[in-house]
Amino acid sequence: MAGPSAPRLVLAANRLPVTVRVSAGGRITLAESVGGVATGLLPLLKDAKVRWVGWPGAVEGLGLSERTRLDAELRRRRLEPLHLTPHEVEQYYEDYANGVLWPLLHSFADRLPLEPTGWSTYQAVNERFARRLAAVAAPGARVWVHDYQLMLVPGLLRTLRPDLRIGFFLHVPFPGADMFRLLPQRDEVLRGLLGADLIGLHTPGYVRNLLAVASAADLSSVVDGPAIRHVGRLTSLGVFPMGIDVERFERLAARAGKGEAAKTFRRPHGVQVLVGVDRLDYTKGIPRRMLAYERLLDVHPELRGRVRLVQVAVPSRDRVPAYRSFHAEVERLIRRINGRFATTEWVPVHWIERPMDAESLAALYRAVDVLLVTPIRDGMNLVAKEFIASRPDEDGVLLLSEFAGAADELAEAVIINPYDIDGAAAAIARSLAMPRAERRLRMRALRERVTARGVMAWSESFLEGLDRAAVIAGEARPRLASSLEIDQLVERVALSKRLVLLLDYDGTLVPFSAMPELATPDEELLALLAALAGRPRTAVHVLSGRDRQTLGRWLGALDIGLHAEHGVWSRQPPHGPWRRVAGGDTRWRKRARDIMQRMRDETPGARLEEKSEALAWHWRGVDPDFGNRQAKRLEAQLVEEVNDETCEVLLGHRVVEVRAAGIHKGQVVRRVLERESVGTCILALGDDRTDEDLFAALPQDAIAVHVGDGESAAGYRVAAPADVRRMLQMILAIPPIRSPRRGPPRRRAQRAPASRPSRSGTRRSPPPRR
Ligand code: ADQ
């Protein structure tokens, strides 16, 4: 565990910001990588209290002592190496992160492998990262996790170290809900992300997509402005468009006019230069860019011999099958164009397939007439910003795909749709012919934008946002009871002289299911309830909104009290007859039914349930956005047209209900407790709005436990039905105290009043806040 001198900020990314090279003679050299993320985060490492956890690259060639030396050297630079085995690299990095997540997050459904592999290794490596981060971070430290390779880390780390401020930044796009749902592990991935206090994305569109995914997922998530509320937490979402190291590119560009590199890219007189600079990736739109260039040469024969396209591509991920075939496709198109148009004096496409050092890159940017940044999909695209920073001469045209995140910021670029080959060709022609004054005007505006928000400002604003988000999350967090609190609670309950259990059914004893009819009790639950009912001096009651036939069929064989339709019908143990104990006035029913039926017909997936004292309109299974809107409309109509003193309208968990007035679970509580003596321990568990009536009617010394998220007056909170069952099992495991009190039960001295008390009047002392 982290000691007192442990880091206050820990960065985590798949790769460390250095590249380790091992020469044939075994010499180790470390070169700083200058990718966008590395340059953005490296300045943070100047602080002695910062660490970076990541993979240093393949070091299989090193012996044990060399590896120890390497690790020591990395640690001296505040880098914490996490070595991956070749098997882990293949499965976690190549197969799952690059083979599955990369195409999915970029909305390339057709690039998804027929059979996705690598998930279990992806989980295992994410766990290794989480464990390492948990071990190095100081108490309460900030941890900033980067990118799609580590999407499970926030959730895993949250369980290990709830004290940390956890931020996550996604460098790639977040796709629409229809795309994200293709991922077989979508729930696990989303749950992983939601362990963060703050999730940062490049654009407002990606934030919108993530919110839509969260509201579609059945993780009890509630979308709440730019935040997602879910069991136990509030995760904020923020837009943080990444910038670049502007000064560095300005410096390089100033030198570029003079050096060797400049000569390489000096333009032959009268020839205009189009340039593309990309990682060789199918998201970057290189084939369509080639087609647009070919179209340009077809439509404008006068440009032949007077333009050339320099395409620089860094080979990338060539062990992933989708990349190998893509590579072949690009080369085929280039050969076709050069074959069709080249002359002895002129080659239309110059293909440079290697990484270029920063100086040469800056020289190339300086020589550009039109830079082609035409991705099909790109999180941000830093090349566009590097080009702008490299043009203090306020010249050169940026042609930018509307599907790059950068297009959200760089409105003065020439924006194109890369799918529109004719349109892109026409835009290139226009850019080539653009008058100097317009070029200057556009570039000046672009430079203002790029220089105003460099990469340092980006990382600072994210970390400030993280601090704010962590405070909000702390305030808004519906606090889950700790295992210590649960232990104490169980002990108190189990050692009481007499115990009454008041249990809600759906969402408390069983999880919600797509069809309410399918939420039947399983063997484990039936055995658990039977054992509790058989426990000495223990009474068990199930209070549900369900009808009495269903409750009777499912739980009727047990020696427990059953209360159907929120207390209209009751059946006392052992196996007493059902008695109607409330209700009767049904004047509201016909009007309500007409309105609810109409809304059901207008809402695909909704269904109407008839109960003897209530009508329930369920929208579980309806598109979440639409369902929510329809539910609100329905509630408004019912309140307007039906609501009177004979009935009430309730908005529950994906249900709108109209029921006879004065019927609620609180009434059941009063009837059940009438015969109980002082000193009886009462434990009530529920998850829904209707259980708040139950909690409100409890005597002061009773224990209320809320299941799941959402507001509640209960003093304790657990996450899910599985936790409820675990608690009940724990009660069973403790033998009840031996000597029962003799004589008739003394009546309870303190009883809640007959009418429903206000919530503030029924506070049970909550456990101390964490
Ligand atoms: P990338 O997909 O790698 O990054 P990008 O933003 O364009 O894409 O960054 C590429 C970097 O590589 C740039 O710094 C560029 O200079 C450099 N580069 C490209 N070709 C090169 C070459 N031939 N030689 C040398 N260097 C070259 C991911 C997301 C992006 C997002 C960034 C940052 O996919 O959408 O912008 O992270 O969040």
Side-chain angles (χ1 to χ4, degrees), residues 214-221 617-622 624 631 651-656:
S215 82
D218 206 7
L219 296 174
S220 309
S221 318
W617 186 87
H618 297 273
W619 60 281
R620 182 162 286 280
V622 177
L651 209 54
H653 188 70
R654 302 209 169 159
V655 60
V656 179

Side-chain angles (χ1 to χ4, degrees), residues 34-37 102 106 147 169 171-173 202 242 249 277-279 284 312-314 317 352 354-357 361 365 378-383 386:
V34 284
V37 182
W102 178 269
H106 286 85
D147 228 359
F169 190 83
H171 289 267
V172 297
H202 283 302
M242 188 172 170
F249 275 89
V277 175
D278 309 83
R279 244 183 347 89
K284 303 288 181 182
V312 188
V314 209
R317 305 175 191 173
I352 304 177
R354 61 173 142 61
M356 204 171 254
D357 63 67
L361 208 55
Y365 289 143
D378 209 338
M380 168 55 66
N381 196 290
L382 298 177
V383 168
E386 292 168 1

